[in-house]
Structures are given as C-alpha cells and as structure tokens.
Amino acid sequence: MQSPAMAPTRDHLDWPFFDDSHRALAAELDGFVARGGLDDVDHGNVDAACRQLVAALGADGILRHCVPKAFGGASEEIDSRALCLVRETLAYADGLADFAFAMQGLGTGAISLSGSPALKEQVLPKVARGEWLSAFALSEPDAGSDVAALACAARREGDHFILDGEKTWISNGGIADVYTLFARTGEAPGTRGISAFVVFADTPGFSIVERIETIAPHPLARIRFENCWIPATQLLGSPGEGFKIAMRTLDIFRPSVAAAAIGFARRALDEAVAHAKTRKMFGATLSDLPTAQSTLGEMATAIDAAALLTSRTAWKRDVQKQPTTREAAMAKMTATENAQWVIDQALQLFGGRGVRTGEITERLYREIRALRIYEGATEVQKLIIGRELMKEAAR
C-alpha cells in the first residue's frame, strides 16, 4: 500500500504523447489513492481482495477506461494511454489493485473488439461498474507461448458449440463471472483454426480443476470444459478469427503491462532515494556515497527509457491509429526487464532490510517477476520484434 508521503512522479505527462485529458485522469487517480480508495483491503484473502478492489475501482469510475463509451466507458474507443496511466498509478500503490484493473480490460477486450451488440450490452456495462469480474483464457498446459499448439476444442452442433479441453494459468480463474475463451474449431491448421468465445462461469460443463499459488499471490486457476454447450451467439467474430482477435487484444493491453512495470520501478526508485537520504553509513549517509549516486542515476535512466518506449507505443495506437505489434513488444520487453533490474538494485541498497518479509522492496521483488513472463515472455517479445523487422525488410 502506498504511504501518504509518497506519490508517483507526473513529470512525464509533460511529454507530447499526452494531452490535458490524461493529465486530468492522473489527478483523479492520485485523488482516488489519497482518499484511501485502496485501504482496508485484506490481501490475506486474495479472492475477496480482488472482488473488493474491482468494486472500489468500479464505484470510482476507473474501470470505465476498460470498455468503449457506448457501453459505459470513458472514451469512444479504449484509450491505450489511459490504460497505461491507470496501471502505472495502481502498480505504484498496490500490485493487486493493478492486477484487478488489468483483468477487467484484458478479459473483455475481445468482446469490445468483436462481440455482437447483444454480448457487449450484456457484459461490458457490468464490467465497467465492477459488478462482474472477467478472465482471458488462452494458455493451456502444452500451449503457452506457442498458441498454434492449442488443443481445447469447440465443435458446432446446430445453433450451439460444444467445448472440451483445459486452460491453465488463467488470471481470475475461479472468481470470474465471464471468460473470453480461445478454442480450436479446425477451419485451417495452426493459428488459423482457432475461434474466440464468451463463456459464463455458471455454464454446465465448466469447472475449476485447480487453484494455482504463486510468489506474488493472485487468483489463478486451471479450468476445464467437458461437454460444455454454449450458444453460437457467444462466438466472437467469425470462425477461425480467434488468433487475430487475441493478438489485437494483446496489442491494446501489452503496453499497459509495460506501464505497470514502470509503476513498480518508480516505487522502488522512490523508496531507494528516501532510504539513501536517511541511512547513516561511514560517517555520512548512503546518498553521499558515489556508488549509491551512480546506481540511483542508472535506475532513473532505465525507468525513463522504458517510459518513453511505452508512451510512444500507446500514442501511436491512439493518435496515429497504426499497428503497434513491434513497438508494444519493445515496450513490454524493455519495461519489464528494466524494472526487474531497478527493483533488484533498490533491494541491494536496502541491504538486509530489503529481503525482510513485509518490506516494500520484498513485495516489489515478488510482484515484478511474473510481468517478464505473462502476455508474452521476454524471449517471445524478441522474436516478435525480429519477425516484424524481417517483414519490413521484405517490402
């Protein structure tokens, strides 16, 4: 939880990537945190904490940034820069709050992009108000980064589809009310034979097989579909378009993963600076030592480098309306890797105190690690960047 005396810097909002609406949003977010919007959340009960956080974010209007304006959203289309600002602010204050917000958008992004008007009306307003929790079900036991290996199947029977298979590492698994599911429908080999669906948690044949515990507690689960019938009206887009829909969704939200990493890194730097100014050492303070000053300088530079890449990506999507696959991969890779290093340096500056359970550096160290894996591991981001470069070279 954020201490009252510490708040994230807003200097980067003066960059040309942002406008007055984003600066107003930042002020609203700071006010939400300062008013205690994230207080009194029992992180010992992760499921209950996520429900409470979603309800609080919905009541304050913050979740409106996860859906289009026509269905209760804050802008005509989902604004990537707004997503980034929200995630950076929440991650700075509370990693679980960032997670709760992110999943509301990621879990329903495909519905916003490709859902029928009826599905959008049924789901999106409830998500924006914090009444429903959502999930994004893509990964499988044998298909994580390799989406082409996906095995969960959906076969058409009249005006229904029948789902069979498993998904794993599903964020909000076990507590979500609505799941965006990707399953193989077989129109073509590999990724061209995948379709996207909406599945509600109370659908017969849907079950939670296992809850998954991680170093930074979040609700995760392995889920199963056994002879699970859903109406064909819950198909998103057309059959065989699932992979494209998933990638379009990730392109929107991947820069916000980078922003969350930046939020964690900014908090680590601020904590390290505050500690260095007061820690007595060798007749002076830690901040007086050239080695500490050098480390803090490198930390600040790594954060700004990541923030520039992230802001550029979100701006290019929002303003130029151009594809950002390569830019999003660069931002996600750089921000998460830099944040891991920044947080490690902060912990080193704290010394033994840094690894003590309950210290902010210890929490940040656990929180950042997953960001280098989910929504495409760093190694996958490198492949994406290289692939996009080869596409450009072939033109």
Side-chain angles (χ1 to χ4, degrees), residues 340-389:
Q340 179 81 70
W341 181 83
V342 166
I343 291 167
D344 186 67
Q345 296 305 303
L347 191 150
Q348 192 75 7
L349 287 167
F350 270 78
R353 177 185 161 192
V355 296
R356 184 175 180 178
T357 300
E359 288 286 344
I360 186 66
T361 48
E362 181 265 345
R363 176 177 68 78
L364 291 169
Y365 198 84
R366 289 185 290 104
E367 290 280 6
I368 190 57
R369 191 59 186 85
L371 271 68
R372 293 170 58 203
I373 298 174
Y374 78 68
E375 290 195 37
T378 293
E379 292 74 15
V380 173
Q381 305 308 321
K382 292 177 182 179
L383 291 174
I384 292 171
I385 297 164
R387 181 192 66 200
E388 293 297 313
L389 286 173

Side-chain angles (χ1 to χ4, degrees), residues 259-314:
I262 292 165
F264 289 141
R266 289 196 195 282
R267 183 64 185 271
L269 176 61
D270 288 350
E271 295 284 347
V273 168
H275 174 73
K277 288 166 62 178
T278 58
R279 177 72 163 94
K280 302 298 183 182
M281 186 172 287
F282 303 121
T285 63
L286 181 59
S287 62
D288 293 320
L289 301 181
T291 52
Q293 293 175 8
S294 175
T295 297
L296 292 169
E298 286 187 85
M299 291 163 69
T301 302
I303 292 170
D304 266 14
L308 282 163
L309 284 172
T310 302
S311 301
R312 176 192 68 165
T313 303

Side-chain angles (χ1 to χ4, degrees), residues 25 112 250 301 307:
L25 171 60
S112 295
L250 291 174
T301 302

Side-chain angles (χ1 to χ4, degrees), residues 310-328:
T310 302
S311 301
R312 176 192 68 165
T313 303
W315 173 84
K316 184 175 181 179
R317 180 189 175 274
D318 291 342
V319 177
Q320 295 189 320
K321 308 296 183 184
Q322 293 184 15
T324 57
T325 300
R326 184 181 70 172
E327 290 83 358

